[in-house]
Amino acid sequence: MTKATKRDGMAALTLGALGVVYGDIGTSPLYTMKEIFNPIVGIPLDAFHLIGAVSVIFWGLMMVVTLKYVLLILRADNRGEGGIMALTALAAMAAGSTAQKRIILLLVGVFGAALFYGDSVITPAISVLSAVEGLEVATPAFKPYVLVICAAVLVALFGMQRFGTSVVGKLFGPVIMLWFAVLTVTGLTEIVQQPGILAALNPLHAITFLYAQGWHIFVAVGSIVLAFTGAEALYADMGHFGKRPIQFAWVGLVLPALTIHYMGQGALLLRDPSALENPFYRMFPATWLLPAVVLATVSTVIASQAVISGAYSMTKQAVQLGLLPRMQVMYTSSKEAGQIYMPGVNWLLLGAVLLAVFGFGNSSAMANAYGIAVTVTMLITTLLTFFVVRYGWNYPLPLALAASIVFMVLDLLLVASCSIKFFQGGWFPLVMGLAIFTVMATWRRGRELLIDSIRHDDPDLLPFVTALTADAAAHRVPRTAVYAVANPDTVPQALLHNLKHNQVLHERNVILTVVFHDVPWIPFAERVEVTPLVAGFWRVQVNYGFKNTPDIPKALELCKTRGLPINLFETSYFLSREIVVPTKGTGMAHWREALFAIMSRNAGSVAGFFRLPNNCVIELGTRVQI
């Protein structure tokens, strides 16, 4: 590959990262300054506090985003992948010297993943609503229709998800580049008129501002944190674009544009305090107001799209890690396996977003709910990164502690500041995250109990098939039978039913187990493991990472290199569908067992999830008590 080709590829990835990675943090100027100096917050609108607040924003972007995420956490890649799930797997592998420590780290990471769904609801709601509210600045006549217009935009956005993002995705980068260019120009225009705002570059102004707040510091930081929301996207999308393009985009365009624009808003408020009504839109002349509203709305839709796509990817990973029941996954691109659409997640997410829009009513009220889930996720990310730095990279303990404690203190300040808004709306994403965490924990524990029950009730596999093959009276029929099981050591229920009701045994029988590992990808060379048992019986284990797309027929083709050629046109797939019966006693609380039974009953099709041909699947049910 030539240097020119590499350069063009890097430029394309950097442009793509602009649209997908920085849409959320890039649209924060729509509401951040307005909320910092909201009369309810109680920060005086004067030169000292304006310069101090802008200074805190700038140095917060430097510490939280640049130093923590861009320079440190982007190094913690799990085979090229990032995000809370990938980091959790990496930390658990690095520090998993004991099963208990490993489980605790997994639980912490799963809770962080659950909180992501709260962010997936709040981000589209506050971003689109704050953009549409610009219509009120253009003319008060639009005020009664703001919520309706916002809802219409959101319904259209979620309705288009089934068509995929490949076409729209090509516009993401250029539109967001235009957005950051507008942020830069409007900011510079105001700075020229009030150059005194440049004093905010001095960190002493940030320190004196925070010190002057006293105990009120938590209220002030609780609003300033809105400028940092979206930082998690830098790490979550590393697998799509790579570390370098994300770093180049931040240092080369996003950080300078945000810095200049926040200073521009501060300069505007120094010159005209009445602009606090909506500082962002007051930076535009009247003739440019409607185009600004259109650009802001499109940009917030892009920011929302990134979070929605992230929710699909997160859910798919959670399903494959055994944290959620199977769900319908539709692939919207023939080229990109990561472009997926999950109807169930999509419509549940839309319902929650609309509930947030109409429940809170305006972006100022919603700002109280925004931040707490994000900051707790940031704190969890720092905690997990410590274990990677210390045990994965083998850095000395003092160095690992020093790096982690600095960011831990910052994260704790942000979490504490957002927590005081708990009763004003901060409860919303936390309750949602706790509910999803409960669902994930219940499903994982329920599957463990289910497998234990099957292992206890069903006969051991090897003695059974040994006796079966020795029985000369067993009637064998041609073709290959594949029995998909969760526990490869006991006889599949489907095999028992086949023998009991059909009284036949296939010539070739494959006991198939699918294992999802806590790494992003499993290469084809390690995809299948074949173990001969007795004449006519083989045990096959198919391995996937949590970002691989399961495809059992394609995996079975790989068995030929392991000494087991399988003719897929002469293969039948026998599936056992367990009907869970909750019972009182040991295991889980009865309500959790009932919840697990409902989820198990409504789980997506095994055949669809593993891409089995519909005309070759035989599904047999059995009742299992847990």
Side-chain angles (χ1 to χ4, degrees):
M1 184 181 293
T2 65
K3 289 185 178 180
T5 305
K6 288 183 178 179
R7 193 163 52 245
D8 292 343
M10 183 65 70
L13 287 171
T14 303
L15 182 62
L18 272 178
V20 175
V21 177
Y22 294 111
D24 188 0
I25 197 169
T27 51
S28 296
L30 281 165
Y31 45 79
T32 299
M33 288 294 285
K34 182 173 70 171
E35 297 311 320
I36 293 173
F37 291 98
N38 190 317
I40 297 175
V41 176
I43 299 177
L45 188 60
D46 56 34
F48 171 80
H49 291 91
L50 273 168
I51 294 173
V54 174
S55 185
V56 173
I57 291 175
F58 171 70
W59 287 104
L61 291 172
M62 292 297 293
M63 293 293 296
V64 175
V65 185
T66 308
L67 291 182
K68 177 182 171 181
Y69 281 96
V70 174
L71 295 182
L72 175 63
I73 293 181
L74 281 181
R75 293 183 58 203
D77 66 294
N78 191 339
R79 299 192 184 184
E81 291 295 328
I84 190 74
M85 299 294 280
L87 183 64
T88 299
L90 202 61
M93 285 188 294
S97 54
T98 64
Q100 186 177 11
K101 184 187 292 185
R102 187 181 177 90
I103 290 171
I104 290 174
L105 287 173
L106 285 172
L107 286 174
V108 170
V110 168
F111 182 61
L115 288 174
F116 176 84
Y117 290 97
D119 186 34
S120 299
V121 171
I122 298 295
T123 294
I126 192 173
S127 298
V128 176
L129 183 55
S130 59
V132 176
E133 283 175 346
L135 294 172
E136 296 180 36
V137 180
T139 170
F142 278 110
K143 188 170 184 177
Y145 308 105
V146 165
L147 291 181
V148 176
I149 294 172
C150 177
V153 171
L154 289 167
V155 169
L157 171 63
F158 280 88
M160 291 189 298
Q161 296 301 311
R162 58 196 175 99
F163 299 111
T165 60
S166 58
V167 176
V168 181
K170 295 176 182 177
L171 300 175
F172 281 11
V175 171
I176 295 297
M177 178 174 279
L178 175 62
W179 170 257
F180 283 118
V182 170
L183 293 185
T184 304
V185 171
T186 52
L188 286 173
T189 303
E190 295 297 335
I191 292 172
V192 168
Q193 299 180 62
Q194 285 287 340
I197 194 66
L198 293 173
L201 293 172
N202 186 342
L204 291 177
H205 287 287
I207 295 170
T208 54
F209 170 85
L210 293 174
Y211 181 77
Q213 301 304 310
W215 288 107
H216 195 256
I217 185 176
F218 296 108
V219 179
V221 174
S223 299
I224 293 172
V225 74
L226 295 172
F228 315 138
T229 54
E232 276 288 317
L234 276 74
Y235 183 50
D237 289 305
M238 182 169 62
H240 295 287
F241 302 101
K243 178 173 64 175
R244 292 299 181 195
I246 293 174
Q247 292 174 328
F248 289 157
W250 173 255
V251 176
L253 179 60
V254 181
L255 177 60
L258 289 176
T259 300
I260 291 170
H261 188 79
Y262 279 121
M263 287 190 173
Q265 286 198 24
L268 171 65
L269 293 173
L270 280 174
R271 180 171 58 85
D272 181 12
S274 68
L276 184 61
E277 172 197 9
N278 200 313
F280 177 81
Y281 284 112
R282 288 289 292 273
M283 299 177 81
F284 294 87
T287 53
W288 287 95
L289 198 52
L290 285 178
V293 172
V294 172
L295 177 61
T297 303
V298 173
S299 299
T300 54
V301 165
I302 291 174
S304 303
Q305 176 65 62
V307 177
I308 295 167
S309 300
Y312 299 155
S313 299
M314 181 79 75
T315 303
K316 182 188 173 190
Q317 293 175 22
V319 169
Q320 296 185 180
L321 286 173
L323 297 170
L324 286 174
R326 292 178 303 275
M327 299 182 191
Q328 183 183 8
V329 180
M330 299 173 64
Y331 295 85
T332 60
S333 171
S334 59
K335 297 180 181 179
E336 297 293 336
Q339 291 188 13
I340 60 174
Y341 168 63
M342 304 186 72
V345 176
N346 188 67
W347 300 120
L348 284 172
L349 207 55
L350 174 60
V353 170
L354 292 178
L355 185 66
V357 168
F358 287 101
F360 288 101
N362 59 71
S363 60
S364 292
M366 203 176 298
N368 292 323
Y370 203 26
I372 189 166
V374 179
T375 53
V376 173
T377 304
M378 288 180 176
L379 178 62
I380 290 173
T381 300
T382 301
L383 178 64
L384 295 174
T385 303
F386 164 75
F387 288 94
V388 175
V389 172
R390 175 68 184 98
Y391 301 103
W393 300 344
N394 295 318
Y395 274 62
L397 181 60
L399 181 60
L401 281 174
S404 300
I405 287 174
V406 171
F407 296 121
M408 193 81 71
V409 170
L410 281 173
D411 291 336
L412 286 171
L413 174 61
L414 296 178
V415 170
S417 300
C418 291
S419 298
I420 63 174
K421 299 184 290 185
F422 180 84
F423 293 105
Q424 286 74 44
W427 58 269
F428 182 76
L430 277 185
V431 168
M432 182 175 297
L434 285 170
I436 294 171
F437 177 77
T438 302
V439 168
M440 287 180 169
T442 299
W443 179 258
R444 186 177 182 89
R445 178 58 180 154
R447 289 295 300 173
E448 291 174 354
L449 293 172
L450 181 64
I451 292 172
D452 287 343
S453 178
I454 292 173
R455 184 181 289 115
H456 180 266
D457 295 336
D458 292 346
D460 290 336
L461 177 66
L462 194 56
F464 182 86
V465 297
T466 301
L468 189 63
T469 53
D471 184 3
H475 178 59
R476 288 184 177 264
V477 296
R479 295 177 63 88
T480 300
V482 175
Y483 296 95
V485 295
N487 178 21
D489 298 319
T490 57
V491 181
Q493 284 286 328
L495 175 58
L496 293 173
H497 284 301
N498 195 29
L499 290 170
K500 178 180 179 181
H501 298 293
N502 299 325
Q503 299 182 354
V504 296
L505 181 66
H506 286 71
E507 287 183 350
R508 299 159 65 83
N509 300 273
V510 174
I511 311 302
L512 177 74
T513 310
V514 180
V515 178
F516 288 99
H517 299 268
D518 51 4
V519 295
W521 310 99
I522 296 292
F524 279 109
E526 304 170 16
R527 184 63 51 85
V528 295
E529 300 173 22
V530 178
T531 306
L533 298 176
V534 295
F537 278 87
W538 292 264
R539 180 185 288 138
V540 174
Q541 178 174 307
V542 181
N543 301 299
Y544 290 112
F546 57 76
K547 296 211 69 167
N548 284 125
T549 299
D551 190 328
I552 294 303
K554 184 179 290 186
L556 291 178
E557 290 179 342
L558 300 174
C559 292
K560 184 177 181 179
T561 61
R562 304 291 192 274
L564 176 61
I566 296 176
N567 187 342
L568 296 179
F569 296 102
E570 297 180 357
T571 299
S572 300
Y573 300 89
F574 289 83
L575 307 179
S576 300
R577 188 172 184 90
E578 299 87 4
I579 301 171
V580 178
V581 180
T583 58
K584 293 183 178 180
T586 58
M588 293 189 293
H590 189 66
W591 68 268
R592 290 184 69 193
E593 291 186 357
L595 175 61
F596 174 72
I598 293 171
M599 289 192 290
S600 181
R601 194 179 313 125
N602 292 281
S605 164
V606 177
F609 186 77
F610 290 113
R611 296 193 169 189
L612 303 179
N614 291 327
N615 57 350
C616 298
V617 174
I618 300 96
E619 195 166 1
L620 302 169
T622 182
R623 294 170 67 86
V624 180
Q625 292 185 342
I626 60 171

